[in-house]
Amino acid sequence: MPRTRRIPVRRGALALAATAIYALAAPAGANDKLQELAASQENWPMQCKNYDCNHFSESTQINADNVENLAPAWSFSTGVLNGHEGSPIVVDGMMYINGPFPNNVFALDLDDPNEIVWQYKPKQDPAARSVACCDVVNRGLAYYPGDGETPPLVIETLLDGHLLALNAETGEMYWKLEVMDPAVGQTLTQSPYVVKDKVIVGSSGAELGVRGVVTAFDVKTGEQEWRAYATGPDEDLLLADDFNAANPHYGQEDLGVKTWEGDAWKIGGGTNWGWYAYDPEEDLVYYGSGNPAPWNETMRPGDNKWTMSIMGRDLETGEAKFAYQKTPHDEWDYAGVNVMMLSEQEIDGEKRKLLTHPDRNGILYSLDRTNGDLVRADKMDDTVNWVKHVDMETGIPVRDPEYGTRMDHRSKGICPSAMGYHNQGVDSYDPNQQLFFIGMNHLCMDWEPYMLPYRAGQFFVGANVWTYPGPKGNREEGTGSGQVKAYDAKTGDFKWSVMERFAVWGGTTATAGNLVFYGTLDGFIKARDSRTGELLWKFKLPSGVIGHPMTYMHDGTQYVGINYGVGGWPGVGLVFDLNDPSAGLGAVGAFKELANHTQMGGGFVAFSLDGESPYTKDINTGEYQANPGSGDSDSGSAAADGGNDDRQASR
């Protein structure tokens, strides 16, 4: 089960000075600076851009009228293959970028991105690779801006269960924690979430019978502040005294045990490795808990609370104010960890503070984020068939028994598949148009459960799955498995919709220039007019995309950037050379054509209008300057070791 262990590290002078103030309380509003950074279009300081997680930029230099002139400005290779999810972060003219295992981190000076200011190469247990569910991905870095006493920090998760903070100025390790244990199947693939003076992180491993947990640490010291589980007794779940008071029909006391048979909750899944959002006015942090374990529903009778739930927790105490379970007693691996996007909209004549969440199960949910009221529950596509509709009074999905699962039976044509009509991608919301832009999968499946014993650290799934494109795609060719849609949460309508050859796994980014950007598995970055869906621009990248685009301003130029590097769950067949259609938890058959369109790579490309960059503005930028008076002689050079065994500095 999860544990937290501090790892002693050697510190630089700056970090040692900070040790003396570890016990002091943070000043009020210490991390308002993170919100200020997010408000500037020069920065992209969080994976979601801001606390609302709307993935939206106010920048208009690149817009629907001139986006056709976008061209590559500069690029960077991470030196690693496998899937590159997430995106870099940008703060004050510096870019911080990482990649999949071994989770190397690089700091680039945007005045001359050819210069790696520092690089950190962690040493971690390679055995963690064997318990990673769906490739050895990492969903990106987080940033803490410092408070005058603690330096700015770059926060990273490692696949082998460590959480660490690096000095953003030097790359030196500031603190390191062991928070998960790969020996029992726990790994870390999530981007950590920094809010105020806390860093929040969940866990991966539900496919190995891990019990889901979310933990908050003091971002300055690494000290644990609170920890809450998805299953088990109320005291472990940290339920507030008024938990679900506004919606008692969702369930309240003792359900983390009573809705499980025996002790099944102890190995019951509910991990959260997706995305968070935060409302400073409510002081609530929002996220989704994942699928119950095992996938075979026969082995865990009951509603299996509080897996598959949207959670609203008090930031300071961790207490859950509300939880809404989207898929009680999940039968299809519809892990509910997807992105949470916050907005304020008028619904039926009433201004509501919304949380909008595109779920794996094919439903777009909007909740009142102050109390968990269910406001909307719309199908992402008319081909969703496991559920007829969601009862808006109870919040319970009305299932279609034809697409249920049971032992000794192969259920066919279930839509969506276990990969969902949406997965880990980060989507976007344009507050000007009041539209959400959803990058989707269009995947269905056959499902056949089987019995298996639980063994710690081994896969605990219990179902064979065959995945293929949905009815609007081409099952025989293995194409037509992606969609992009513009969704209006006020009405439940889709303003426009387009199909893609493969699943749009990484999500979308919207800008005030009436653009929506996204990457494709076959290796394109595309821009569409966010008002109409019209394709305006695309560029072929070295490898397929499973991460999300981002944008920033630097020295008067707007850049749009994206990670490339095919992999993740949809790319496991290509990455690991698998051929059985049911391999890769059903993904191999769904993406059998992917290898005919892209191959592995790993890096980042930035684009600008006409390819403008530091090197076009001044061709001498980054040029080698010989030592004065050196002539043609070999002057030699010297390199100094930065001290930390895990760190290699370039200057």
Side-chain angles (χ1 to χ4, degrees):
M1 291 295 103
R3 57 186 179 177
T4 303
R5 183 163 68 90
R6 293 186 61 81
I7 309 297
V9 298
R10 289 182 286 178
R11 303 173 183 269
L14 192 57
L16 285 170
T19 304
I21 54 88
Y22 269 0
L24 299 178
N31 213 16
D32 288 346
K33 186 177 179 183
L34 192 56
Q35 294 189 75
E36 294 172 7
L37 289 170
S40 168
Q41 303 314 308
E42 294 185 346
N43 301 313
W44 193 275
M46 311 180 203
Q47 292 296 317
C48 281
K49 170 62 172 170
N50 48 38
Y51 285 149
D52 284 350
C53 198
N54 65 15
H55 229 230
F56 177 78
S57 170
E58 295 284 356
S59 296
T60 59
Q61 185 180 100
I62 301 170
N63 55 62
D65 293 328
N66 62 20
V67 69
E68 64 182 0
N69 297 318
L70 270 192
W74 61 273
S75 61
F76 179 77
S77 172
T78 63
V80 180
L81 302 179
N82 293 89
H84 283 58
E85 291 183 345
S87 77
I89 54 176
V90 169
V91 180
D92 293 339
M94 293 291 296
M95 176 177 286
Y96 305 96
I97 184 171
N98 75 337
F101 183 93
N103 308 130
N104 300 331
V105 185
F106 303 92
L108 307 179
D109 184 343
L110 292 177
D111 286 336
D112 178 9
N114 180 59
E115 180 180 0
I116 301 174
V117 177
W118 55 257
Q119 52 189 290
Y120 176 84
K121 296 186 174 181
K123 295 180 174 65
Q124 52 177 316
D125 185 356
R129 295 172 61 98
S130 66
V131 294
C133 157
C134 312
D135 201 3
V136 292
V137 297
N138 185 281
R139 296 183 179 90
L141 303 167
Y143 184 81
Y144 172 70
D147 62 2
E149 296 172 322
T150 303
L153 300 172
V154 173
I155 317 295
E156 181 182 42
T157 58
L158 301 183
L159 188 68
D160 72 352
H162 288 88
L163 177 69
L164 57 88
L166 305 174
N167 185 314
E169 298 169 350
T170 67
E172 187 172 11
M173 188 190 297
Y174 197 71
W175 52 254
K176 184 178 183 180
L177 306 173
E178 184 182 25
V179 297
M180 296 294 158
D181 183 4
V184 297
Q186 297 168 332
T187 53
L188 287 180
T189 60
Q190 180 185 44
S191 174
Y193 190 67
V194 173
V195 55
K196 291 187 177 179
D197 293 312
K198 292 178 176 57
V199 54
I200 303 173
V201 68
S203 59
S204 300
E207 277 63 52
L208 293 93
V210 165
R211 182 187 178 201
V213 65
V214 58
T215 312
F217 301 93
D218 186 316
V219 72
K220 299 191 298 181
T221 67
E223 298 293 338
Q224 181 175 312
E225 297 201 351
W226 52 261
R227 169 165 281 188
Y229 290 86
T231 66
D234 288 356
E235 57 268 26
D236 288 2
L237 274 60
L238 298 186
L239 301 187
D241 291 340
D242 60 349
F243 174 68
N244 275 343
N247 295 283
H249 54 284
Y250 289 174
Q252 294 182 289
E253 298 177 354
D254 301 325
L255 299 179
V257 172
K258 288 182 178 179
T259 60
W260 295 82
E261 186 174 71
D263 289 338
W265 58 268
K266 294 181 178 180
I267 52 173
T271 55
N272 64 97
W273 41 266
W275 309 100
Y276 295 71
Y278 171 68
D279 184 334
E281 293 179 354
E282 304 298 324
D283 205 26
L284 292 178
V285 62
Y286 309 97
Y287 68 95
S289 60
N291 57 286
W295 287 11
N296 184 349
E297 55 85 25
T298 306
M299 300 174 64
R300 44 172 175 80
D303 278 353
N304 309 136
K305 297 184 183 293
W306 288 98
T307 66
M308 312 298 287
S309 301
I310 296 174
M311 311 292 298
R313 291 191 179 275
D314 183 279
L315 176 68
E316 298 303 322
T317 66
E319 290 187 338
K321 182 173 182 178
F322 68 81
Y324 166 64
Q325 189 177 39
K326 298 158 292 180
T327 316
H329 188 65
D330 170 50
E331 302 176 47
W332 309 274
D333 182 42
Y334 290 154
V337 303
N338 299 3
V339 66
M340 308 279 168
M341 297 174 283
L342 309 186
S343 66
E344 295 190 22
Q345 301 194 49
E346 189 172 295
I347 306 290
D348 297 329
E350 181 183 358
K351 195 68 171 286
R352 305 291 292 266
K353 297 182 73 172
L354 294 187
L355 178 160
T356 298
H357 165 81
D359 197 70
R360 281 254 287 268
N361 68 12
I363 304 294
L364 272 157
Y365 296 92
S366 288
L367 272 60
D368 184 317
R369 65 178 183 267
T370 67
N371 60 13
D373 286 352
L374 181 61
V375 177
R376 293 208 66 90
D378 300 309
K379 290 187 177 184
M380 290 186 203
D381 194 76
D382 56 11
T383 56
V384 173
N385 62 20
W386 71 273
V387 58
K388 296 179 179 179
H389 64 272
V390 175
D391 186 313
M392 296 301 293
E393 295 296 322
T394 64
I396 296 174
V398 179
R399 288 163 153 85
D400 187 333
E402 181 180 349
Y403 302 103
T405 69
R406 62 184 186 273
M407 288 295 298
D408 302 317
H409 174 72
R410 178 167 169 168
S411 302
K412 296 184 177 182
I414 303 168
C415 300
S417 76
M419 302 180 86
Y421 271 4
H422 192 281
N423 204 281
Q424 65 85 41
V426 177
D427 292 313
S428 53
Y429 171 72
D430 183 337
N432 302 324
Q433 299 186 62
Q434 295 192 326
L435 290 176
F436 294 88
F437 302 102
I438 312 297
M440 292 173 48
N441 311 323
H442 185 63
L443 295 166
C444 302
M445 67 177 175
D446 294 355
W447 177 287
E448 186 174 30
Y450 61 87
M451 305 294 286
L452 80 169
Y454 169 76
R455 296 185 178 91
Q458 296 186 23
F459 276 81
F460 186 53
V461 175
N464 288 320
V465 181
W466 296 263
T467 306
Y468 39 83
K472 296 178 181 178
N474 189 314
R475 178 174 178 178
E476 296 304 316
E477 292 182 358
T479 56
S481 60
Q483 293 181 310
V484 181
K485 294 189 175 186
Y487 169 70
D488 186 338
K490 301 185 298 299
T491 64
D493 297 329
F494 294 98
K495 185 174 182 181
W496 54 260
S497 175
V498 297
M499 293 292 295
E500 286 287 349
R501 178 177 284 111
F502 297 116
V504 183
W505 197 259
T508 68
T509 297
T511 77
N514 294 319
L515 293 171
V516 57
F517 292 92
Y518 61 94
T520 67
L521 280 172
D522 51 347
F524 285 94
I525 177 173
K526 298 184 179 183
R528 292 185 182 273
D529 189 314
S530 58
R531 298 162 297 186
T532 65
E534 179 187 358
L535 181 64
L536 301 177
W537 172 86
K538 66 180 180 181
F539 180 86
K540 183 67 175 73
L541 295 158
S543 181
V545 175
I546 59 172
H548 45 261
M550 46 85 73
T551 183
Y552 63 92
M553 296 287 297
H554 184 72
D555 194 21
T557 298
Q558 183 184 356
Y559 296 88
V560 172
I562 195 165
N563 283 343
Y564 63 84
V566 73
W569 194 359
V572 293
L574 186 157
V575 171
F576 298 108
D577 195 25
L578 304 174
N579 296 305
D580 181 348
S582 67
L585 300 176
V588 174
F591 297 101
K592 60 186 179 181
E593 283 297 307
L594 186 57
N596 293 328
H597 293 269
T598 191
Q599 290 295 308
M600 286 190 289
F604 172 84
V605 180
F607 301 86
S608 63
L609 293 176
D610 299 318
E612 186 172 289
S613 75
Y615 310 112
T616 61
K617 292 181 179 181
D618 181 355
I619 197 170
N620 291 312
T621 297
E623 285 298 296
Y624 173 70
Q625 301 295 323
N627 293 328
S630 64
D632 295 329
S633 63
D634 182 5
S635 59
S637 62
D641 184 358
N644 190 313
D645 290 340
D646 284 349
R647 175 177 168 268
Q648 299 179 14
S650 62
R651 76 173 185 184

